[in-house]
Amino acid sequence: GAVVSQHPSRVICKSGTSVKIECRSLDFQATTMFWYRQFPKKSLMLMATSNEGSKATYEQGVEKDKFLINHASLTLSTLTVTSAHPEDSSFYICSARATDRAAEAFFGQGTRLTVV
Amino acid sequence: GEDVEQSLFLSVREGDSSVINCTYTDSSSTYLYWYKQEPGAGLQLLTYIFSNMDMKQDQRLTVLLNKKDKHLSLRIADTQTGDSAIYFCADQFDQAGTALIFGKGTTLSVSS
């Protein structure tokens, strides 16, 4: 299957700082990428849909100024958690869908963010 | 809104078959998916089925779809300890550019 690479896999940061998470589709082009957040023992919650070359669409309750998403190319989307707080600590997972294989959504390995 | 429900736990013995069940509410679902998540890892796409199919088989995996009852199941034949993981059922109602709706995941525990 197609490969989605997410970086970093783990990050610890201090409260008030910003953290950038990258999501890359390695062997396919993805016009649409999705960012999810997973709480312990919970399902994945969609945060936003990222479309290449346009503004991301955020789900209700997700602060767009706090979770900045940039989808600058067909293979890269970034999520920046700005002014991080301990409650932002979570597992963030990105997903990408190939333009020519729209039925299949592939996921990155996730990023464990811990804000201290 | 759309909802996907799964049982939370399943425990089986090595060599037995595992059946993980899922129900969904969206009658417009186009594709339904099964993902596997190992501890601390992302999601691995196991298989998916188009909504006009009743069954899909892929090696040890068999997916059954009952569209009338909105019920999806994943059968793992000859379950191995390496199959221990969380399995997520997911629903997609639009082929183009929409996100998946996930169930809460079923934790499969395989004992030897």
Side-chain angles (χ1 to χ4, degrees):
Chain A
V3 178
V4 175
S5 176
Q6 201 172 327
H7 178 80
S9 56
R10 290 180 179 272
V11 58
I12 300 173
C13 71
K14 291 184 177 180
S15 287
T17 61
S18 295
V19 173
K20 181 186 281 188
I21 303 169
E22 292 188 348
C23 179
R24 292 181 186 273
S25 55
L26 295 186
D27 51 359
F28 65 98
Q29 293 186 330
T31 52
T32 305
M33 291 185 174
F34 306 92
W35 288 95
Y36 294 84
R37 182 172 177 177
Q38 187 179 31
F39 295 96
K41 298 187 194 287
K42 296 281 188 184
S43 185
L44 284 77
M45 290 176 46
L46 177 67
M47 297 175 65
T49 301
S50 166
N51 292 295
E52 186 265 336
S54 63
K55 289 184 180 179
T57 303
Y58 290 81
E59 295 300 297
Q60 194 172 9
V62 178
E63 299 176 58
K64 60 180 67 175
D65 293 332
K66 179 162 187 65
F67 298 99
L68 300 178
I69 291 172
N70 186 299
H71 192 158
S73 76
L74 286 172
T75 59
L76 174 64
S77 175
T78 60
L79 168 68
T80 301
V81 182
T82 63
S83 186
H85 288 105
E87 58 264 31
D88 298 325
S89 298
S90 195
F91 194 58
Y92 293 88
I93 308 179
C94 72
S95 170
R97 183 168 293 158
T99 52
D100 58 345
R101 293 159 66 182
E104 300 178 45
F106 298 97
F107 285 77
Q109 65 268 49
T111 297
R112 170 71 61 192
L113 171 63
T114 304
V115 184
V116 297
Chain B
E2 302 85 15
D3 194 20
V4 177
E5 297 284 343
Q6 298 177 243
S7 53
L8 295 182
F9 299 100
L10 177 65
S11 183
V12 301
R13 298 178 74 95
E14 194 173 21
D16 288 350
S17 292
S18 307
V19 179
I20 303 171
N21 294 300
C22 169
T23 57
Y24 60 98
T25 58
D26 187 1
S27 58
S28 305
S29 296
T30 308
Y31 293 96
L32 294 124
Y33 301 80
W34 285 103
Y35 285 87
K36 177 183 180 182
Q37 185 180 35
E38 296 182 1
L43 274 71
Q44 174 193 354
L45 176 62
L46 288 177
T47 186
Y48 66 94
I49 187 168
F50 189 46
S51 59
N52 68 354
M53 296 170 64
D54 298 324
M55 186 184 85
K56 182 176 180 180
Q57 186 153 3
D58 184 1
Q59 299 181 338
R60 291 192 297 125
L61 305 178
T62 303
V63 177
L64 295 178
L65 174 61
N66 181 327
K67 199 172 179 183
K68 175 176 169 289
D69 294 339
K70 297 179 188 167
H71 181 267
L72 182 75
S73 68
L74 173 70
R75 178 177 180 270
I76 305 173
D78 187 25
T79 311
Q80 303 297 307
T81 54
D83 294 325
S84 294
I86 301 175
Y87 290 81
F88 289 93
C89 169
D91 170 19
Q92 177 185 338
F93 66 93
D94 182 350
Q95 185 172 353
T98 55
L100 305 183
I101 308 295
F102 284 87
K104 288 187 168 57
T106 299
T107 299
L108 175 64
S109 175
V110 183
S111 58
S112 56

